[in-house]
Amino acid sequence: IIQDIIFTEEEIDWIKYNIEIENPLTYLWTRKEALLKAIGTGLFQEMRTLNTLKNQVYWNGVYYKIDEVPI
């Protein structure tokens, strides 16, 4: 399954059981894609190593903050 390549186990569980967000898979994908672009690796980084459930992610010695922008 493609989700196993992209998301951490914690993220996969969150996708399965989250009922508060209309499309949890797209929600997490958007967060992950934004983070990967911010760190400059694009989609080539091992996506499964980055957990984007929290609003702050530590990668390669740097903390990145993920903010949500209402639309």
Side-chain angles (χ1 to χ4, degrees):
I1 297 176
I2 192 80
Q3 292 158 307
D4 295 335
I5 297 169
I6 297 170
F7 299 109
T8 66
E9 288 182 33
E10 185 180 5
E11 289 171 324
I12 291 170
D13 287 342
W14 186 87
I15 290 167
K16 288 178 185 176
Y17 301 111
N18 189 297
I19 59 172
E20 298 174 12
I21 294 178
E22 186 175 329
N23 191 342
L25 188 133
T26 302
Y27 173 83
L28 276 187
W29 169 256
T30 303
R31 291 171 66 88
K32 192 164 294 247
E33 182 181 16
L35 178 63
L36 291 169
K37 288 179 180 179
I39 63 177
T41 62
L43 300 178
F44 296 106
Q45 167 67 29
E46 176 61 45
M47 290 187 260
R48 196 169 157 84
T49 64
L50 297 170
N51 186 332
T52 56
L53 285 174
K54 298 179 182 172
N55 289 336
Q56 192 174 45
V57 177
Y58 184 77
W59 186 80
N60 202 21
V62 178
Y63 282 98
Y64 292 88
K65 183 176 181 203
I66 301 173
D67 284 328
E68 294 181 21
V69 178
I71 54 171

